[in-house]
Amino acid sequence: MLNEQERLEIYDKATKLWGLVAQYDQCVEEMGELIVAINKFKIKVLYKEYNVYNKITENLVEEIADVSICLEQMRHFFKDYNIDEVIEKKMQKFLGQIQKMEKNNK
């Protein structure tokens, strides 16, 4: 299994080989494919319109992995920004929304 440093080096090599714009474009494509996979899973599996659960689920998991790689790559490209701090702020806001809904549903 590759460690984080090895993955970061791969991202740098890909950027050097294909360019930064191509890496951004690849991330956009992968995120689009995840959207399609989520919708297909929701419609075909949750609404029981498709009986090949494993195939649909495996595709969704593969797209989640692709987007996870892209997100790690984007974090690497924007390492000079405190993304974790922004995530923490957004998670606190999300938690507040959940708590508000819980309070309203009592």
Side-chain angles (χ1 to χ4, degrees), residues 89-104:
K89 287 178 186 176
K90 289 189 172 283
M91 289 302 297
Q92 290 300 322
K93 181 180 177 183
F94 188 35
L95 177 59
Q97 292 169 332
I98 291 169
Q99 290 170 337
K100 183 178 178 180
M101 288 299 294
E102 288 175 335
K103 183 179 177 182
N104 290 339

Side-chain angles (χ1 to χ4, degrees), residues 1-51:
M1 180 176 276
L2 297 172
N3 65 39
E4 181 182 5
Q5 186 58 41
E6 291 168 324
R7 292 190 309 270
L8 297 180
E9 289 172 8
I10 290 170
Y11 302 144
D12 289 337
K13 287 179 182 181
T15 303
K16 185 176 179 181
L17 183 62
W18 293 300
L20 191 57
V21 172
Q23 295 311 107
Y24 291 151
D25 289 344
Q26 185 64 40
C27 287
V28 169
E29 181 180 328
E30 296 299 345
M31 290 177 196
E33 290 174 2
L34 178 59
I35 291 168
V36 170
I38 291 169
N39 280 331
K40 190 175 285 187
F41 179 85
K42 181 180 67 177
I43 292 166
K44 303 294 186 182
V45 175
L46 296 181
Y47 298 139
K48 303 194 187 317
E49 293 182 12
Y50 194 73
N51 59 4

